[in-house]
Amino acid sequence: MSLPLWIAAWALLLHGCAAGRAPQAPSTRSDIRDCSAEPPYLPPTATNSTARLAVLRGILRTHGVHAYIVPSTDAHMSEYISERDARLGWLTGFTGSAGTAVVTRDKAALWTDSRYWTQAERELDCNWELQRTTSIESIATWILKEVPAEGNVSLDPFLFSIDTWNSYSRALRGSGRTLLPVETNLVDQAWGDQRPPPSSSEIYSLPAEFTGSRWQDKVAGIRQRMEQHARRPTAVLLSGLEETAWLFNLRGDDIPYNPVFYSYTLLTNTTISLFAEQSRLSQEARQSLRSGCPGPLCVELQDYGQVSAHLRRYAQGNVTVWLGTEYTTYGLYAIVPQEKLLEESYSPVMTAKAVKNAHEQEMLRAAHVRDAVAVIQYLLWLERTVPHGQVDEFSGAQRIDAFRWAQEHSRGPSFESISASGLNAALAHYSPSNGSSRTLSAREMYLFDTGGQYLDGTTDITRTVHWGEPTPLQKEAYTRVLMGNIDLSRLVFPSNTAGRTVESFARRALWDVGLNYGHGTGHGIGNFLSVHEWPVGFQSNNVPLEAGMFTSIEPGYYQDGDFGIRIEDVALVVEAQTEHQSGEKPFLTFEVVSLVPYDRNLIDLSLLSPEQIRYLNSYYERIRAHVGPELRRQQLEDEYVWLQESTEPFAVSSAGSAAAGSLALAALLSVLLSGLGA
Amino acid sequence: MSLPLWIAAWALLLHGCAAGRAPQAPSTRSDIRDCSAEPPYLPPTATNSTARLAVLRGILRTHGVHAYIVPSTDAHMSEYISERDARLGWLTGFTGSAGTAVVTRDKAALWTDSRYWTQAERELDCNWELQRTTSIESIATWILKEVPAEGNVSLDPFLFSIDTWNSYSRALRGSGRTLLPVETNLVDQAWGDQRPPPSSSEIYSLPAEFTGSRWQDKVAGIRQRMEQHARRPTAVLLSGLEETAWLFNLRGDDIPYNPVFYSYTLLTNTTISLFAEQSRLSQEARQSLRSGCPGPLCVELQDYGQVSAHLRRYAQGNVTVWLGTEYTTYGLYAIVPQEKLLEESYSPVMTAKAVKNAHEQEMLRAAHVRDAVAVIQYLLWLERTVPHGQVDEFSGAQRIDAFRWAQEHSRGPSFESISASGLNAALAHYSPSNGSSRTLSAREMYLFDTGGQYLDGTTDITRTVHWGEPTPLQKEAYTRVLMGNIDLSRLVFPSNTAGRTVESFARRALWDVGLNYGHGTGHGIGNFLSVHEWPVGFQSNNVPLEAGMFTSIEPGYYQDGDFGIRIEDVALVVEAQTEHQSGEKPFLTFEVVSLVPYDRNLIDLSLLSPEQIRYLNSYYERIRAHVGPELRRQQLEDEYVWLQESTEPFAVSSAGSAAAGSLALAALLSVLLSGLGA
């Protein structure tokens, strides 16, 4: 669900960096299209979109539409989408995760960010203009040029956020063009029976041992928040898929990597309506939901498609509907009259879910211990096999997935593994594909950003390693990224501090020498839910940090065409012990729950302060204490030895020249003094 | 102009800290009102508001109004207001700078933040409820309780920001009450001929040597920004007083401390309309403005009161009006149809003004050198006179004002001096008054936050001193505040970084031990303009930092009922020299232009890192280089000696125990070795 937001920060910054590039000269590469050639050249990876466009344009004419906007997300603003919702991909051939297409009666264009420009040139045919930006302003300007005055610009309001709708609306205002919501999706009409069917797999109850609390208690908690709110909302509308999954302790597999299912919930002060395909619910799940019937804890099951009609009826009463504007679609939002809406960035379910209770914290910690075992197995395996030149990015990614699958409670990867060697790692979100994958080598750095779904928790970790001789710049950059990770992880800060006001601590060591990275510094994470879980994190639309929240901390550095570094850990926000205390609430700090050592080969200890080294040593002690016994339990003796070696404490005296000199001098002095005494 | 925004941050945070306090028990103090006594007790400082309220209520009835909202600002959202605009003060008796009053047919209430609660209890009579919050939600809730359904809630739309209007509008929406703008100010009607007349003093041209560029060049620059904007605005509307003053290089004295005059400007692509009292313009100013007539650089002078009518006529055309939503009133804003508005937070005049050109930078630097002379004179004078017990907060403030007045180009203080001894300094914005002023003493800390207006620049500096034996907590807190000031001042950061993302560097040293401060970390400053100049600073509605901007850096610490610390410098954003460079633009850092040493008596050197000490020493070198010669030129020999003593370099080896040990050991070792060699 977080893609449009989380990715937006990457896109924005990456776009910023790339904006100054000169337009490309006609290409001589055979893997990308060349539409200026005669005849146009298309690589085999391109999709022929002519027939699809023709069908869609016929439909546009029927509806009196002059331009149709097609986004990349689904009706729940999901980060990952099902094949059935891959409308942009079907229409254009472009398979990147973020983009917007606009089709007019005679033109078609695709907007995407710099991560995907090359990919788009490989996948689009010459029906499509590629627009190297993602700004709505750019899309709107193009539309104003291509659509006649008095023309209709149309979109499916159930696929656009409130903000995006408003941006288009503002941009077209006063131009004579009308922004026309059409509730039937026109791409779906064109797609017809070729469109994949809806998922029919089971929606199941999470076993009690893996839930933080009973769904009835969660519902009671949300109703309490409703009562305590000054506006006294009568209902909460949930459209984020993990909202419903979390609230009812249900899971499904409609979306890759995220164990959720298509659903909406309307929770009122007296009733509960869950909109999902009833037949897909397991018997146990159905029993659980119906256990409070009749009564205020009875869940009425309704068809997924009924949500709009039901909400429309409900909104006719004397009601106030609370919803999260960051991820509710304009389509749903527009159903409720303005004065009956309680608009906040996030629903109370989102904010309740963000603060993990003691049991959820314990589960996430436990999942990270097993996850560390898998990552350590992978690191040792790489150390042994990379020198033989038999691992490539793709087989590496398969291997770590396999290590994770072997761990207890595993339910597979939590996102598409990033496994990137050498220059590929400079593309911050690179994922290898079978067949076009770089071989890992002791001469290059290797970055892997991977995570697992476990019944008790979701994990996400990035390590960057070098098995040979790193360059001075690689070592300096790695060390500074690590210093940033440490500086943010050990930061003590007041309760209720916004993440965006502290994320620069993860950058300062890089900034000091003129380096930086073009993406966000972290995101929340769920208990067997989304790997990018809003609203926790370090961006401007995240909520303030509170004890019990989990966030990733992931500074990086990317040297274009050369190498990439990222060091990512998941950390729990905990109360700090401070000498004094301003304010009524204890200060906070982080407890890092990812438990995998960093690459000693890449650390320049002389750059670290004594405080940073002491922090590192205490972190390594915790790794030993938590992961060591688990490695033994799993009889992974080699890994155990590897862990001991990799977590040897660093000498604090190595930090800085002054301190190092001090210890050396002291040693020398004691020799001299003993000599004098003799 | 910045009060509502700058102060809001204080208020919010202070309110946050104070929110948990228990309600006060009935008071036995004689300096505040006691409305529960029989008969109610009023101190002599209270104002009898009965007659004024009666007149106002009569007017409300005539207009069919059930509740009238009275703010503390003027039609330009000014931070300081003229007597003529002190409607809240006249109506209530309350003289604090921030508050909102609401008068219904039988009740009256005043909302203000924690800085002013005691003051309000001293100044209000028992007609007024005091509401200890400033949230619009609280005001709206009160109104909903007091105003009958179908009632009219009214206000003067020319005294409220767009945001505030929208907040009231949202809060009342669907409640049956109508938010009714009444363009005639009803308090003014009640005030009648007792209301002070408008200013009649001269509006004058700034001498050419004190301007950054000719006004014609500024106008051309703004018109260029209009042409380059995607929306192609045809006009810019200026309602901030310093916008018009800056654009035309004009100054006046309508507002205390800020050399501005009541005005609006409508700058179109072909015409320029300046709305101000024509008769008040000096002949020179008038000549300058008319020098380009007829033509696109001809300034048409129109009466101040004509702006609404003129804007209404202009908005009938095929036009787009660009305005800054952060400080334009709802009244003006509502004149222009929505589709003809280009709404941005700040006008291009505000953003152009924020980046000082080379000459403006030189002027601000020069003003700060002379200002440092005055502050150093004051510090030395305090050192000599405080031990005799003959200085109090008020006479101290008068003394530093006098030192400033004696400097070249001085035009008086840039804001009401904060001069606070002992526990008074814990009230972050305390100003002393004659008669109730604390005597300065070598047993207490003393904080003074003062600034000057000079023809070439505006200054603002805070120093905290102790002439005796500070407590360990005072010394630790002072040192940590200083460390925060240093850490932010020496920060290297990428171009285009938002201030809010780096301001925590000024807090970390305090956070480390659980301390913090409840106000913002800095604000922009002008060239002989506002001391709080938007949109530069470290808050969320500030624009990203760019080379050429000036901002204050002012961390603090306040121990309730005991002492207060703030260390404030003004700094220029400059390009940094870095080893590497990510991105296309050079990294940035700060050059501190306030040139007054800190109190050595309060610095615990063992807390500072070697980098912090090195920074401090290089800053002190710059103070000596710039202020030393000026002290000599002004024949201030004692001050010169004082400066040399106060800027003696600190031994870097004193930092931290390890480094100190290292040097000591080295010294000892060299003795031993020489002994061995002998």
Side-chain angles (χ1 to χ4, degrees):
Chain A
M1 199 210 64
S2 51
L3 169 99
L5 305 164
W6 168 246
I7 290 299
W10 284 81
L12 201 73
L13 285 156
L14 291 168
H15 171 67
C17 301
R21 291 187 189 151
Q24 292 184 319
S27 172
T28 53
R29 291 167 56 176
S30 64
D31 65 333
I32 64 168
R33 66 179 187 165
D34 182 355
C35 298
S36 61
E38 272 303 337
Y41 170 76
L42 291 182
T45 44
T47 294
N48 183 343
S49 66
T50 304
R52 297 169 189 185
L53 278 170
V55 177
L56 180 62
R57 284 182 173 133
I59 296 169
L60 296 192
R61 259 182 231 104
T62 326
H63 283 79
V65 168
H66 298 85
Y68 192 62
I69 312 176
V70 182
S72 57
T73 188
D74 67 11
H76 306 275
M77 305 281 110
S78 299
E79 173 165 4
Y80 295 98
I81 56 169
S82 69
E83 276 303 310
R84 182 175 165 78
D85 280 325
R87 298 176 180 92
L88 185 76
W90 175 77
L91 181 66
T92 66
F94 171 68
T95 59
S97 72
T100 302
V102 180
V103 178
T104 66
R105 297 197 176 169
D106 54 359
K107 287 208 175 165
L110 174 84
W111 283 256
T112 190
D113 65 77
S114 60
R115 289 175 296 161
Y116 292 121
W117 294 343
T118 303
Q119 183 177 337
E121 296 282 10
R122 292 166 50 96
E123 296 179 337
L124 297 176
D125 67 11
C126 290
N127 288 313
W128 294 91
E129 292 176 21
L130 174 62
Q131 302 281 345
R132 295 164 191 267
T133 164
T134 54
S135 86
I136 290 181
E137 203 175 337
S138 151
I139 302 176
T141 305
W142 189 90
I143 287 174
L144 287 174
K145 200 175 78 223
E146 298 298 334
V147 171
E150 316 299 321
N152 288 324
V153 179
S154 190
L155 46 69
D156 177 348
F158 289 93
L159 293 182
F160 287 84
S161 72
I162 302 165
D163 260 4
T164 308
W165 167 278
N166 287 336
S167 299
Y168 283 119
S169 170
R170 251 196 312 274
L172 299 186
R173 187 196 290 156
S175 75
R177 284 87 177 168
T178 304
L179 187 62
L180 186 74
V182 179
E183 301 211 355
T184 330
N185 190 290
L186 305 187
V187 173
D188 291 353
Q189 278 189 37
W191 206 346
D193 56 11
Q194 298 301 302
R195 187 179 174 215
S199 170
S200 58
S201 62
E202 191 177 67
I203 300 168
Y204 57 96
S205 283
L206 208 52
E209 60 185 301
F210 297 117
T211 61
S213 44
R214 295 165 62 242
W215 71 258
Q216 292 89 341
D217 296 333
K218 292 180 179 177
V219 164
I222 301 303
R223 282 184 172 149
Q224 196 173 22
R225 289 180 188 227
M226 290 160 61
E227 275 166 34
Q228 286 163 354
H229 196 289
R231 290 269 322 266
R232 290 297 187 102
T234 59
V236 173
L237 175 67
L238 308 179
S239 67
L241 297 186
E242 68 270 48
E243 290 185 300
T244 291
W246 176 86
L247 184 62
F248 299 111
N249 295 323
L250 296 176
R251 297 293 186 272
D253 65 357
D254 295 5
I255 300 267
Y257 308 115
N258 297 157
V260 293
F261 54 96
Y262 285 110
S263 57
Y264 295 96
T265 296
L266 186 72
L267 170 65
T268 80
N269 37 16
T270 53
T271 64
I272 310 170
S273 301
L274 168 55
F275 302 86
E277 290 322 311
Q278 304 185 37
S279 59
R280 292 179 51 201
L281 283 155
S282 72
Q283 204 189 341
E284 196 192 345
R286 215 175 310 203
Q287 267 170 5
S288 162
L289 297 175
R290 306 291 302 170
S291 60
C293 297
L297 286 174
C298 169
V299 179
E300 317 243 8
L301 289 164
Q302 304 205 35
D303 281 349
Y304 175 75
Q306 285 303 305
V307 65
S308 297
H310 184 96
L311 182 63
R312 193 168 283 115
R313 275 195 307 279
Y314 181 76
Q316 286 168 1
N318 180 18
V319 299
T320 301
V321 180
W322 190 353
L323 52 74
T325 53
E326 286 276 338
Y327 51 94
T328 304
T329 62
Y330 181 79
L332 269 187
Y333 168 85
I335 289 174
V336 183
Q338 195 72 36
E339 68 273 13
K340 297 181 180 181
L341 276 174
L342 167 53
E343 300 177 40
E344 297 196 349
S345 297
Y346 303 98
S347 80
V349 168
M350 284 292 254
T351 49
K353 178 164 61 64
V355 179
K356 272 67 173 171
N357 66 23
H359 182 51
E360 290 165 330
Q361 292 176 25
E362 272 321 302
M363 288 195 290
L364 256 164
R365 281 197 188 93
H368 276 85
V369 170
R370 297 195 308 282
D371 198 66
V373 170
V375 176
I376 287 167
Q377 286 182 283
Y378 183 53
L379 282 166
L380 178 57
W381 178 83
L382 287 172
E383 220 173 276
R384 288 175 173 165
T385 49
V386 166
H388 306 297
Q390 284 157 353
V391 192
D392 65 22
E393 297 164 332
F394 191 76
S395 64
Q398 287 180 312
R399 177 62 63 150
I400 189 162
D401 286 355
F403 281 129
R404 281 206 171 87
W405 271 115
Q407 290 297 317
E408 200 178 3
H409 305 320
S410 173
R411 288 295 180 274
S414 60
F415 58 97
E416 186 179 3
S417 291
I418 294 171
S419 167
S421 184
L423 59 92
N424 284 340
L427 308 168
H429 264 184
Y430 169 86
S431 292
S433 56
N434 201 356
S436 71
S437 171
R438 196 174 180 89
T439 302
L440 271 53
S441 146
R443 290 186 307 278
E444 292 191 331
M445 287 177 97
Y446 171 63
L447 179 161
F448 62 105
D449 181 352
T450 63
Q453 288 290 7
Y454 303 89
L455 285 172
D456 46 357
T458 307
T459 68
D460 184 3
I461 184 169
T462 310
R463 288 293 179 269
T464 306
V465 286
H466 197 305
W467 300 280
E469 191 67 50
T471 66
L473 177 60
Q474 287 174 337
K475 204 161 169 176
E476 175 173 16
Y478 182 91
T479 305
R480 290 186 179 277
V481 170
L482 177 62
M483 289 159 76
N485 182 307
I486 291 174
D487 283 351
L488 184 52
S489 299
R490 61 186 289 271
L491 186 72
V492 173
F493 52 94
S495 182
N496 222 35
T497 293
R500 68 172 181 278
T501 65
V502 297
E503 73 111 40
S504 298
F505 288 101
R507 300 179 187 269
R508 193 185 46 175
L510 288 164
W511 286 358
D512 270 346
V513 291
L515 303 180
N516 197 12
Y517 54 92
H519 57 73
T521 295
H523 54 80
I525 193 163
N527 280 89
F528 190 37
L529 272 174
S530 294
V531 71
H532 295 159
E533 184 176 272
W534 283 82
V536 174
F538 297 99
Q539 298 184 188
S540 58
N541 44 3
N542 291 133
V543 296
L545 295 164
E546 273 183 58
M549 291 178 169
F550 282 82
T551 178
S552 72
I553 292 177
E554 48 179 305
Y557 176 70
Y558 309 90
Q559 180 86 8
D560 213 15
D562 194 352
F563 64 88
I565 297 163
R566 187 158 63 252
I567 302 180
E568 176 186 24
D569 293 303
V570 170
L572 165 64
V573 182
V574 295
E575 291 184 2
Q577 307 299 324
T578 53
E579 196 184 326
H580 312 282
Q581 185 186 308
S582 282
E584 287 162 19
K585 286 189 169 181
F587 274 50
L588 303 173
T589 188
F590 295 104
E591 173 199 322
V592 174
V593 300
S594 303
L595 295 169
V596 178
Y598 311 114
D599 188 356
R600 298 175 93 88
N601 187 30
L602 280 164
I603 301 176
D604 177 354
L605 219 55
S606 75
L607 293 176
L608 271 62
S609 71
E611 292 76 17
Q612 288 166 335
I613 295 184
R614 273 192 285 272
Y615 170 85
L616 203 50
N617 286 342
S618 76
Y619 171 52
Y620 278 12
E621 262 177 49
R622 285 205 300 114
I623 296 181
R624 284 184 173 188
H626 290 88
V627 183
E630 180 65 20
L631 288 170
R632 286 240 149 122
R633 199 184 64 77
Q634 298 193 24
Q635 301 182 326
L636 295 165
E637 287 306 321
D638 287 0
E639 282 77 1
Y640 183 82
V641 171
W642 181 93
L643 180 68
Q644 295 302 113
E645 288 168 5
S646 303
T647 53
E648 273 295 318
F650 296 98
V652 176
S653 59
S654 313
S657 48
S662 164
L663 279 209
L665 281 167
L668 181 53
L669 188 61
S670 97
V671 169
L672 283 167
L673 287 170
S674 70
L676 284 175
Chain B
M1 199 208 64
S2 51
L3 168 101
L5 306 164
W6 168 245
I7 291 300
W10 284 81
L12 201 72
L13 284 156
L14 290 168
H15 171 67
C17 300
R21 290 184 190 158
Q24 291 184 320
S27 172
T28 54
R29 292 166 55 176
S30 64
D31 64 332
I32 64 168
R33 65 180 187 165
D34 182 354
C35 297
S36 61
E38 271 303 335
Y41 170 75
L42 291 181
T45 45
T47 294
N48 183 343
S49 65
T50 304
R52 297 170 190 185
L53 277 169
V55 177
L56 179 62
R57 284 181 173 132
I59 295 169
L60 296 191
R61 261 182 228 103
T62 326
H63 284 79
V65 167
H66 299 84
Y68 192 63
I69 313 175
V70 182
S72 56
T73 187
D74 66 12
H76 307 275
M77 306 281 111
S78 299
E79 173 164 6
Y80 295 98
I81 56 170
S82 70
E83 276 302 309
R84 182 174 164 80
D85 281 323
R87 299 176 179 92
L88 185 77
W90 174 78
L91 181 67
T92 66
F94 171 68
T95 59
S97 72
T100 303
V102 180
V103 178
T104 65
R105 296 195 177 170
D106 54 0
K107 287 206 175 166
L110 174 83
W111 283 256
T112 190
D113 65 77
S114 60
R115 289 175 296 162
Y116 293 120
W117 294 343
T118 302
Q119 184 177 338
E121 297 282 11
R122 291 165 51 94
E123 296 179 336
L124 297 177
D125 67 12
C126 290
N127 288 314
W128 294 90
E129 294 176 21
L130 174 61
Q131 302 283 344
R132 295 164 191 268
T133 163
T134 55
S135 85
I136 289 181
E137 201 175 338
S138 151
I139 301 175
T141 304
W142 189 91
I143 288 174
L144 287 174
K145 201 175 79 226
E146 298 298 335
V147 171
E150 316 300 321
N152 288 324
V153 179
S154 190
L155 46 69
D156 177 348
F158 288 93
L159 293 182
F160 287 84
S161 72
I162 302 165
D163 260 4
T164 308
W165 168 277
N166 287 337
S167 299
Y168 284 118
S169 171
R170 251 196 313 275
L172 298 186
R173 185 195 292 156
S175 74
R177 284 87 177 166
T178 303
L179 187 62
L180 187 73
V182 179
E183 300 211 356
T184 329
N185 189 289
L186 305 187
V187 174
D188 290 353
Q189 276 190 38
W191 207 345
D193 57 10
Q194 298 301 302
R195 188 179 174 216
S199 170
S200 58
S201 63
E202 190 178 67
I203 300 168
Y204 57 97
S205 283
L206 208 51
E209 59 185 301
F210 297 118
T211 61
S213 43
R214 295 165 62 240
W215 70 258
Q216 292 88 341
D217 296 332
K218 292 180 178 177
V219 164
I222 301 305
R223 283 185 171 147
Q224 195 173 21
R225 289 180 187 227
M226 290 161 63
E227 276 167 31
Q228 286 164 354
H229 196 288
R231 290 267 322 267
R232 291 296 188 103
T234 59
V236 173
L237 175 67
L238 308 179
S239 67
L241 297 186
E242 68 269 50
E243 290 184 301
T244 291
W246 176 85
L247 185 62
F248 299 112
N249 295 323
L250 297 176
R251 297 294 186 272
D253 65 356
D254 295 6
I255 300 267
Y257 306 115
N258 297 157
V260 294
F261 54 96
Y262 286 110
S263 57
Y264 296 98
T265 297
L266 186 71
L267 170 65
T268 80
N269 38 16
T270 54
T271 64
I272 311 170
S273 301
L274 168 55
F275 302 86
E277 290 321 312
Q278 302 185 36
S279 59
R280 292 178 53 201
L281 282 155
S282 72
Q283 205 190 339
E284 196 193 345
R286 215 174 310 199
Q287 266 169 5
S288 163
L289 298 174
R290 306 290 300 169
S291 60
C293 297
L297 287 174
C298 169
V299 180
E300 317 242 8
L301 289 165
Q302 304 205 34
D303 280 349
Y304 175 74
Q306 286 303 308
V307 65
S308 297
H310 184 95
L311 183 62
R312 193 168 283 115
R313 275 195 307 278
Y314 181 75
Q316 286 169 0
N318 180 19
V319 299
T320 300
V321 180
W322 191 353
L323 51 74
T325 53
E326 287 276 337
Y327 52 93
T328 303
T329 62
Y330 181 79
L332 270 187
Y333 168 85
I335 288 175
V336 183
Q338 195 72 36
E339 69 274 12
K340 297 181 180 180
L341 277 174
L342 167 54
E343 299 177 40
E344 297 197 348
S345 297
Y346 304 98
S347 80
V349 168
M350 284 293 253
T351 49
K353 177 164 60 65
V355 179
K356 272 67 173 170
N357 66 23
H359 182 51
E360 290 166 331
Q361 292 175 25
E362 271 322 301
M363 288 194 291
L364 257 163
R365 281 196 188 94
H368 276 85
V369 170
R370 296 194 308 281
D371 197 67
V373 170
V375 177
I376 287 168
Q377 286 181 284
Y378 183 53
L379 282 166
L380 177 57
W381 178 84
L382 287 171
E383 221 173 275
R384 288 175 174 167
T385 49
V386 166
H388 306 297
Q390 286 158 350
V391 191
D392 64 23
E393 296 164 332
F394 191 75
S395 65
Q398 287 181 312
R399 177 62 63 149
I400 189 164
D401 285 355
F403 281 129
R404 281 207 170 88
W405 270 115
Q407 290 297 316
E408 200 179 3
H409 306 319
S410 173
R411 287 296 179 276
S414 59
F415 58 98
E416 186 178 3
S417 291
I418 293 170
S419 166
S421 183
L423 59 92
N424 285 340
L427 308 167
H429 263 183
Y430 169 87
S431 291
S433 56
N434 202 355
S436 71
S437 170
R438 196 174 180 89
T439 302
L440 271 54
S441 147
R443 291 186 307 278
E444 292 192 331
M445 286 176 99
Y446 171 63
L447 179 161
F448 61 105
D449 180 351
T450 62
Q453 290 289 7
Y454 303 89
L455 284 173
D456 46 357
T458 307
T459 68
D460 183 3
I461 183 168
T462 310
R463 287 294 179 267
T464 306
V465 286
H466 197 305
W467 300 280
E469 191 66 50
T471 67
L473 177 60
Q474 287 174 337
K475 204 162 168 175
E476 175 174 15
Y478 181 91
T479 305
R480 291 185 178 278
V481 170
L482 177 61
M483 288 160 76
N485 182 306
I486 291 175
D487 284 350
L488 184 52
S489 298
R490 61 185 289 272
L491 186 72
V492 174
F493 52 94
S495 182
N496 223 36
T497 294
R500 67 172 181 279
T501 65
V502 297
E503 74 111 40
S504 298
F505 287 101
R507 299 179 187 268
R508 193 185 47 175
L510 288 163
W511 287 358
D512 269 346
V513 292
L515 302 180
N516 198 12
Y517 54 92
H519 57 73
T521 296
H523 53 80
I525 193 163
N527 280 87
F528 191 36
L529 273 172
S530 295
V531 71
H532 294 159
E533 184 176 271
W534 284 83
V536 174
F538 297 99
Q539 297 184 190
S540 57
N541 44 4
N542 291 134
V543 296
L545 296 164
E546 272 181 58
M549 291 175 167
F550 283 81
T551 177
S552 72
I553 292 178
E554 48 179 307
Y557 176 71
Y558 309 90
Q559 181 85 9
D560 213 14
D562 194 351
F563 64 88
I565 297 163
R566 187 159 62 254
I567 303 179
E568 174 186 26
D569 293 302
V570 170
L572 165 63
V573 182
V574 295
E575 292 185 1
Q577 307 299 322
T578 53
E579 196 184 326
H580 312 282
Q581 185 186 309
S582 284
E584 286 163 19
K585 286 189 169 180
F587 274 51
L588 303 173
T589 189
F590 295 104
E591 172 198 323
V592 174
V593 300
S594 302
L595 295 168
V596 178
Y598 311 114
D599 187 356
R600 299 176 91 91
N601 186 31
L602 281 164
I603 301 176
D604 177 353
L605 218 55
S606 74
L607 294 175
L608 271 61
S609 70
E611 292 76 17
Q612 288 166 335
I613 295 185
R614 272 191 285 270
Y615 169 86
L616 204 50
N617 286 342
S618 76
Y619 171 53
Y620 279 11
E621 261 178 50
R622 284 203 301 116
I623 295 180
R624 284 185 172 186
H626 290 90
V627 184
E630 180 66 19
L631 288 170
R632 287 239 148 123
R633 200 185 64 79
Q634 298 192 25
Q635 300 179 328
L636 296 165
E637 286 306 321
D638 288 2
E639 282 77 2
Y640 183 83
V641 171
W642 181 94
L643 180 68
Q644 294 304 112
E645 288 168 5
S646 303
T647 52
E648 273 296 317
F650 296 99
V652 176
S653 57
S654 313
S657 48
S662 164
L663 279 209
L665 280 167
L668 181 51
L669 188 61
S670 96
V671 169
L672 282 168
L673 285 171
S674 69
L676 282 177

